[in-house]
Amino acid sequence: MMTSIRRAALTAIVLALAFRGALLAGDEGRIIATITDDKGAPVEGAKVTLTRTGTAYKLEKVSDKKGQVMLLVLDATHEYQLHIEKGGYGPYDGPIKPTVNDTKRVSFTLPVAAPQPAAEAPKELSGADQAILAYNEAVTALKAGNVAAALPNLEKAVSLNPKLPEAQVALAEAYLDQKRYGDALAAADRFLALRPNDAEGLRVRYDALKGAGDNDKAHEALDALAAADPKSQEAAVRYFNEGAEKARTNKLEDAAVFFEKAVQIAPADPRFAKAHYVLGLTYAKDDTKKEAAKAQLNTFLQMAPNDPDAATAKEMLAYLK
């Protein structure tokens, strides 16, 4: 029985050897690669990938404890691309041509990767940079219509960087919204110190002074706005509003001073039709201005033919003929 077993085993070995030889029949080839580091030590667990350009062929293996891997290539007549990688080592890439019906033994060295420098701690932002961040957060709140939420960030921005003009004027506007006219005026003045004669700053300055009840200085700021920007619609609206205040208390001569400035900036703006009417009535009192009075009244009627005062304007025109 023992002899039979040994014969069977021997037969199996012979058959296995014969079968292994059959694997190399045709155009097959083997590649046995040994992978070491730059000190000659075997690299276990390296991923080895064999591909062939222009095809979908792909063979993947992992190196053993000896750093070895065996690749069986069924068609050794072509050149292949070899890629070897493992974390902590530099990769290898290169061509390789198997040998038909033979075993090709090759060695590759993967250099140990240089240690990565520790990530630097983020640099602390300067005051100017922090100011910009605070300002940008405020702008986001303002775009959402939340002035109250924007205000603390605007105050922070100007405290960190008093020379940031955009933050100063935005802060002035926010103070105006909160009816903090004194604070709005201070912010507007700081802005104008950075950007003298800026129309936006002069407008905010006027609004702050007007809100605080300082009419004389408000009128000076309004004139400065019109001088800085002769076509400013903002100035025209404010001149008209000043004139309307006077007209409501029947101070037509005082109203005319402001209405003249409003229509000088925007003579064809129908929003200011009433200014032409008041100017017509005021000029009609002066014989030397009758033609000017008629021109103003006619302009009023063209702009607002259905205005409640249209009939009075027509009567005045008939009187002036």
Side-chain angles (χ1 to χ4, degrees), residues 251-272:
K251 297 177 181 179
L252 298 188
E253 286 76 12
D254 293 338
V257 173
F258 295 104
F259 284 151
E260 283 177 335
K261 295 177 179 179
V263 301
Q264 183 178 2
I265 295 172
D269 194 325
R271 293 179 298 171
F272 307 144

Side-chain angles (χ1 to χ4, degrees), residues 175-176 179-182 184-185 203-215 217-219 238 242 245:
Y175 282 144
L176 279 178
K179 301 189 183 332
R180 294 171 57 177
Y181 300 117
L185 178 61
R203 173 186 59 77
V204 177
R205 188 171 196 276
Y206 164 82
D207 290 344
L209 289 165
K210 186 69 177 177
D214 194 339
N215 289 324
K217 289 185 178 180
H219 297 160
R238 284 158 177 76
E242 289 280 358
E245 284 184 14

Side-chain angles (χ1 to χ4, degrees), residues 40-256:
V43 176
E44 180 184 3
K47 181 180 178 182
V48 180
T49 305
L50 193 70
T51 57
R52 182 175 150 200
T53 304
T55 71
Y57 177 81
K58 185 175 184 181
L59 177 62
E60 293 181 340
K61 291 290 184 71
V62 176
S63 62
D64 59 20
K65 291 182 179 181
K66 295 181 180 181
Q68 291 187 340
V69 63
M70 193 277 286
L71 304 170
L72 175 62
V73 182
L74 298 179
D75 187 351
T77 62
H78 296 281
E79 184 178 75
Y80 293 80
Q81 294 296 318
L82 189 66
H83 174 77
I84 306 173
E85 64 177 26
K86 183 180 179 181
Y89 296 85
Y92 170 84
D93 284 283
I96 188 167
K97 175 66 172 63
T99 302
V100 176
N101 293 327
D102 202 353
T103 299
K104 185 168 190 173
R105 296 181 180 273
V106 289
S107 297
F108 301 98
T109 299
L110 299 185
V112 176
Q116 295 296 319
E120 293 184 7
K123 294 181 179 179
E124 185 176 351
L125 293 176
S126 66
D129 290 335
Q130 291 183 36
I132 292 173
L133 287 177
Y135 171 72
N136 289 340
E137 289 182 13
V139 169
T140 299
L142 289 173
K143 287 181 177 178
N146 195 340
V147 178
L151 194 52
N153 277 315
L154 289 172
E155 291 174 331
K156 179 180 178 180
V158 300
S159 68
L160 290 168
N161 184 7
K163 293 185 178 181
L164 185 62
E166 294 83 1
Q168 292 286 8
V169 74
L171 180 60
E173 293 274 19
Y175 282 144
L176 279 178
D177 181 83
Q178 302 294 304
K179 301 189 183 332
R180 294 171 57 177
Y181 300 117
D183 291 331
L185 178 61
D189 285 343
R190 291 194 299 270
F191 172 75
L192 288 168
L194 297 169
R195 291 185 179 174
N197 296 320
D198 184 276
E200 186 177 13
L202 292 169
R203 173 186 59 77
V204 177
R205 188 171 196 276
Y206 164 82
D207 290 344
L209 289 165
K210 186 69 177 177
D214 194 339
N215 289 324
D216 290 339
K217 289 185 178 180
H219 297 160
E220 291 176 5
L222 185 53
D223 289 341
L225 170 58
D229 184 4
K231 296 182 179 181
S232 171
Q233 295 298 306
E234 300 278 6
V237 168
R238 284 158 177 76
Y239 277 131
F240 179 81
N241 291 341
E242 289 280 358
E245 284 184 14
K246 301 296 184 182
R248 281 194 289 270
T249 58
N250 207 32
K251 297 177 181 179
L252 298 188
E253 286 76 12
D254 293 338

